[in-house]
Amino acid sequence: MIDVQKGFDDPVWGERNNLQAEGNIERILRHWREMNRPVFHVQHLSMISTSPLRRDHIGSEIKDGVKPLPYEPLFQKSVNSAFIGTDLEDCLRKNGYQIIIIVGLTTDHCISTTTRMAANLGFKPYLISDATATFGRTLDKGKYYSPEEIHEINLVSLNHEFATVMDTATLMGSIEPVI
């Protein structure tokens, strides 16, 4: 679970797509915990003094519905990749995990970067399309790209090259019970 933090509710980010992302993340998390599957949390601590995600701001806190349990690892980062400056890769390898399920915020920043790096490091990422979201952005020349356009373009560029992209219902339907 990447950067599911209160600071992404700040209006400074602008228009957002997929307002159901956190609900889907909570649903996946509940199911994962019920099945005793491992959960790893990633928290972005921005170095930018005005960011809602900076360490000393309430926005850096993980959202209430998805806070880590005491035994669930939390990796803190200040860059877009959950693998840079953290022990995430070592933790995954030490435990023999090859397949990783990626959810969180935002599709075009930390989700995309972490997904690409995961694949390049030899992991098999599954990116859950409706358990992530992003914001609209304007290019230097003033052209606005909606959050849905950015979200879809990122998903399509990651699918089959760096990850298998699927939605929450498909993921939940494909999970075998743990015996």
Side-chain angles (χ1 to χ4, degrees):
M1 293 188 7
I2 300 173
D3 304 345
V4 187
Q5 293 170 247
K6 294 177 181 179
F8 283 117
D9 293 336
D10 192 302
V12 71
W13 301 104
E15 179 187 14
R16 184 185 135 172
N17 77 318
N18 192 17
L19 300 177
Q20 295 77 33
E22 288 88 345
N24 289 327
I25 293 168
E26 286 183 42
R27 186 171 153 221
I28 292 166
L29 179 60
R30 269 193 313 276
H31 191 68
W32 232 244
R33 286 173 173 165
E34 287 169 5
M35 294 180 61
N36 294 315
R37 299 246 176 152
V39 177
F40 299 90
H41 301 264
V42 179
Q43 178 185 33
H44 190 86
L45 298 174
S46 179
M47 303 299 280
I48 300 169
S49 64
T50 58
S51 173
L53 302 175
R54 68 185 181 276
R55 182 183 298 274
D56 64 344
H57 191 274
I58 194 162
S60 68
E61 292 180 14
I62 294 176
K63 292 187 176 193
D64 293 336
V66 296
K67 288 188 182 218
L69 296 177
Y71 58 87
E72 294 173 343
L74 171 65
F75 300 92
Q76 295 177 323
K77 64 180 181 56
S78 61
V79 296
N80 290 330
S81 174
F83 291 101
I84 303 288
T86 72
D87 294 330
L88 177 59
E89 179 184 2
D90 289 338
C91 184
L92 293 171
R93 292 197 191 286
K94 282 180 188 171
N95 288 290
Y97 302 128
Q98 292 294 314
I99 296 171
I100 57 176
I101 309 300
I102 297 175
V103 300
L105 303 169
T106 63
T107 315
D108 54 325
H109 286 168
C110 299
I111 298 299
S112 177
T113 304
T114 299
T115 301
R116 291 169 189 274
M117 282 198 71
N120 288 335
L121 291 169
F123 296 102
K124 186 175 180 182
Y126 286 77
L127 177 54
I128 311 308
S129 60
D130 60 352
T132 187
T134 196
F135 299 90
R137 307 208 193 282
T138 303
L139 199 59
D140 291 338
K141 295 184 181 187
K143 182 171 180 184
Y144 179 75
Y145 294 86
S146 74
E148 196 57 40
E149 288 173 311
I150 293 171
H151 183 75
E152 288 179 5
I153 288 169
N154 276 272
L155 293 175
V156 93
S157 71
L158 293 168
N159 195 32
H160 301 306
E161 180 72 21
F162 298 98
T164 300
V165 176
M166 64 177 58
D167 62 16
T168 299
T170 303
L171 173 69
M172 300 294 273
S174 68
I175 297 172
E176 303 254 342
V178 176
I179 298 173

